């Protein structure tokens, strides 16, 4: 192989490494962009708790962030194995941060989902308990009326 070919290969590898890093960075940017906005998670215009929980659960959806993270990890792994990155610590740290954010959102969504199914049942239980208390009050009132007669 000639010197010119080796030089060309080195240049091509450098270009590929630069493109690979750009792909990772682009996928990470897309993933961060796919996450919900903080205001969407924080603010609500619902009229009741169930509406708040349903809105929050929708706001906590990570959308395409997981797919973009997967792409970033794929290209990052490929670049690392090819030893294409001079310094990949920043990419590795950002991938870890993004994974943590997605995991936090997923955990929060599960917890909200649990509450969303629990709250209506709790309301029913409390309504039933309220009916029982009202019925007991009515019975006590009836007993008092009978005692007066």
């Amino acid at each position: 192989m000639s010197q010119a070919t080796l030089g060309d290969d080195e240049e091509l590898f450098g270009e590929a490494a630069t493109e690979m890093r750009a792909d990772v960075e682009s996928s990470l940017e897309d993933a961060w962009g796919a996450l919900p906005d903080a205001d969407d998670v924080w603010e609500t215009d619902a009229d009741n708790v169930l509406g708040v929980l349903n809105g929050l659960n929708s706001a906590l959806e990570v959308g395409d962030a997981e797919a973009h993270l997967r792409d970033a990890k794929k290209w990052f792994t490929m670049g690392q194995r090819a030893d294409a990155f001079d310094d990949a610590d920043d990419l590795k740290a950002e991938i870890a941060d993004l994974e943590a954010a997605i995991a936090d959102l997923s955990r929060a969504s599960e917890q909200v989902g649990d509450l969303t199914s629990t709250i209506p049942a709790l309301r029913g239980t409390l309504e039933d308990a309220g009916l029982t208390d009202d019925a007991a009050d009515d019975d006590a009132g009836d007993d008092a009326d009978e005692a007066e007669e």
Side-chain angles (χ1 to χ4, degrees):
M1 206 182 287
S2 72
Q3 286 287 74
T5 304
L6 287 176
D8 290 343
D9 288 348
E10 209 44 50
E11 185 178 323
L12 290 173
F13 185 80
E15 285 179 33
T18 301
E19 290 174 12
M20 206 173 298
R21 184 176 183 85
D23 285 344
V24 172
E25 290 171 346
S26 175
S27 293
L28 288 170
E29 185 178 326
D30 291 345
W32 284 115
L35 293 179
D37 291 332
D39 288 345
D40 291 342
V41 172
W42 189 252
E43 296 176 3
T44 186
D45 60 353
D47 295 331
N48 58 45
V49 172
L50 190 57
V52 169
L53 291 172
N54 284 330
L56 179 56
N57 209 16
S58 292
L60 291 171
E61 291 179 8
V62 295
D64 292 334
E66 289 175 313
H68 294 301
L69 174 61
R70 182 173 170 74
D71 284 345
K73 288 172 73 173
K74 176 177 60 177
W75 290 114
F76 177 77
T77 301
M78 186 73 116
Q80 241 185 350
R81 288 189 181 166
D83 200 24
F85 303 132
D86 291 332
D87 180 21
D89 290 344
D90 61 327
L91 296 176
K92 188 175 185 177
E94 188 171 355
I95 287 170
D97 290 346
L98 184 57
E99 284 177 321
I102 289 172
D104 288 347
L105 285 164
S106 295
R107 270 192 305 280
S109 181
E110 288 174 20
Q111 292 170 346
V112 170
D114 289 346
L115 279 174
T116 301
S117 63
T118 302
I119 294 297
L122 179 60
R123 180 180 184 206
T125 299
L126 293 173
E127 285 176 341
D128 291 347
L131 288 176
T132 303
D133 289 345
D134 290 343
D137 289 345
D138 288 346
D139 288 344
D142 291 343
D143 291 344
D145 290 341
E146 288 175 9
E148 289 178 12
E149 292 176 3

